[in-house]
């Protein structure tokens, strides 16, 4: 359904560090929406509007197979 990122900034001495978290939201057959934290490579492979089989355990994303 949707993808989003969250960039955090951390300053240490004279350097600024950036960290990006990646999130994807899936809508399941019941109509419920579930958001999962995923890695950058998985985030890049997912496209909004994809259909397929979502695998998860509780709040942990396990994978997605596109149909």
């Amino acid at each position: 359904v949707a993808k989003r990122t969250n960039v955090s900034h951390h300053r240490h001495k004279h350097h600024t560090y950036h960290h990006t978290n990646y999130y994807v939201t899936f809508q399941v057959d019941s109509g419920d929406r579930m958001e999962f934290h995923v890695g950058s490579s998985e985030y890049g492979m997912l496209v909004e509007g994809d259909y397929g089989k979502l695998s998860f355990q509780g709040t942990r994303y396990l994978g997605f197979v596109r149909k």
Side-chain angles (χ1 to χ4, degrees):
V1 172
K3 296 167 62 173
R4 72 178 180 92
T5 59
N6 181 19
V7 180
S8 59
H9 307 278
H10 173 74
R11 283 194 52 81
H12 180 72
K13 297 188 180 182
H14 298 292
H15 295 90
T16 300
Y17 299 92
H18 306 277
H19 179 76
T20 304
N21 287 301
Y22 300 91
Y23 300 91
V24 292
T25 301
F26 293 92
Q27 183 170 328
V28 296
D29 291 339
S30 66
D32 293 331
R33 291 184 178 197
M34 309 170 76
E35 183 177 70
F36 296 98
H37 179 256
V38 298
S40 61
S41 59
E42 187 75 9
Y43 182 87
M45 296 295 291
L46 295 167
V47 178
E48 291 184 29
D50 274 349
Y51 286 90
K53 182 178 180 183
L54 170 66
S55 298
F56 64 95
Q57 185 174 29
T59 59
R60 191 170 140 228
Y61 174 84
L62 299 177
F64 178 78
V65 178
R66 187 177 292 108
K67 284 190 178 178

